[in-house]
Amino acid sequence: AQTVTQSQPEMSVQEAETVTLSCTYDTSESDYYLFWYKQPPSRQMILVIRQEAYKQQNATENRFSVNFQKAAKSFSLKISDSQLGDAAMYFCAYRSAPGTNFGNEKLTFGTGTRLTIIP
Amino acid sequence: ETGVTQTPRHLVMGMTNKKSLKCEQHLGHNAMYWYKQSAKKPLELMFVYNFKEQTENNSVPSRFSPECPNSSHLFLHLHTLQPEDSALYLCASSETPGQAWLNYGYTFGSGTRLTVV
């Protein structure tokens, strides 16, 4: 079974600065997907960014980028130019690729990192 | 609106009560999920439905009973709960294999905050 570990329960960053959230995972699969979700106080989980394991290029979405190290099973999220609206819980998640575990598409989550933005 | 709607938003119930949580999506997704979110713990997958069929029950106690009458609706029936069942219950939906993989993630609802007293 896959596991996802987020070792930083809480992080804080000054507004406009850059912060990196860590995530490691364990799997025996070679093809899979990794995600970062954001959960603001409204409680709705919002997809921030995703990475396909077969792609070597790190995913980027505006101010959000990842550092995907497949051999090390590491998937960190970098938030540049932090804004007050970035304050939330951030969850790293793993999902098997289609065909590797047919019919079982569950996301496996880490415990989350609470990010505080300091004005 | 998120695309996945959960009601009620908050629920307080006694240990002898029977209540139901509702989840609804009109995104054309065929897979729906119930997750339990407790403080300082990873989200726990409870149930998975693919095309209305339950494909996973993650050793959930029988006091939680899911129902999926169609691909757009998912219920979680609750009875004789314990205080440790207090948590945020999240519903999510996703596309399934064979459909266009435009979005590999889930669409979540805003959850039901359940308190068992």
Side-chain angles (χ1 to χ4, degrees):
Chain A
Q2 295 81 24
T3 59
V4 177
T5 302
Q6 293 179 251
S7 59
Q8 306 155 315
E10 297 182 351
M11 292 280 286
S12 60
V13 62
Q14 205 81 27
E15 191 176 3
E17 296 296 309
T18 295
V19 64
T20 298
L21 308 184
S22 301
C23 173
T24 58
Y25 58 94
D26 188 28
T27 184
S28 59
E29 297 174 340
S30 59
D31 196 14
Y32 47 86
Y33 301 100
L34 297 165
F35 305 85
W36 279 97
Y37 279 87
K38 168 185 177 181
Q39 187 180 41
S42 67
R43 303 183 329 207
Q44 185 203 349
M45 298 275 264
I46 301 166
L47 178 64
V48 174
I49 198 166
R50 63 175 175 255
Q51 174 81 40
E52 292 90 338
Y54 64 85
K55 290 186 178 179
Q56 293 186 339
Q57 186 173 9
N58 289 325
T60 299
E61 290 285 343
N62 301 312
R63 298 183 295 108
F64 299 87
S65 61
V66 299
N67 183 3
F68 174 49
Q69 302 288 330
K70 191 173 184 179
K73 297 181 181 176
S74 171
F75 183 61
S76 61
L77 174 70
K78 185 172 83 172
I79 306 174
S80 304
D81 185 25
S82 297
Q83 300 175 0
L84 295 177
D86 295 333
M89 283 288 290
Y90 285 82
F91 292 92
C92 179
Y94 174 105
R95 182 181 186 180
S96 298
T100 61
N101 200 357
F102 188 82
N104 182 2
E105 303 177 42
K106 63 182 180 182
L107 279 173
T108 301
F109 287 87
T111 51
T113 297
R114 182 172 300 281
L115 179 65
T116 301
I117 311 297
I118 303 168
Chain B
E1 194 54 59
T2 70
V4 176
T5 303
Q6 287 189 246
T7 54
R9 187 165 172 80
H10 301 274
L11 178 62
V12 179
M13 60 185 289
M15 289 189 285
T16 58
N17 291 158
K18 289 184 180 181
K19 296 287 184 183
S20 295
L21 310 185
K22 180 182 177 181
C23 177
E24 184 174 357
Q25 59 91 8
H26 296 287
L27 300 168
H29 292 169
N30 284 305
M32 297 186 77
Y33 314 80
W34 280 116
Y35 276 88
K36 176 183 179 182
Q37 185 178 7
S38 306
K40 299 182 180 179
K41 294 174 68 175
L43 273 74
E44 301 172 55
L45 178 66
M46 301 176 72
F47 301 104
V48 179
Y49 278 82
N50 263 327
F51 293 96
K52 303 187 298 178
E53 298 298 319
Q54 187 180 124
T55 57
E56 184 150 348
N57 176 339
N58 227 22
S59 302
V60 180
S62 59
R63 58 185 183 270
F64 295 91
S65 175
E67 178 189 2
C68 188
N70 54 61
S71 294
S72 299
H73 294 85
L74 185 65
F75 296 89
L76 188 62
H77 304 299
L78 316 171
H79 64 97
T80 59
L81 294 191
Q82 305 298 312
E84 60 265 28
D85 297 324
S86 299
L88 179 67
Y89 288 84
L90 290 167
C91 173
S93 69
S94 73
E95 297 168 349
T96 53
Q99 297 183 356
W101 284 95
L102 299 178
N103 178 9
Y104 299 97
Y106 289 3
T107 302
F108 281 88
S110 297
T112 294
R113 174 71 66 188
L114 174 66
T115 304
V116 181
V117 297

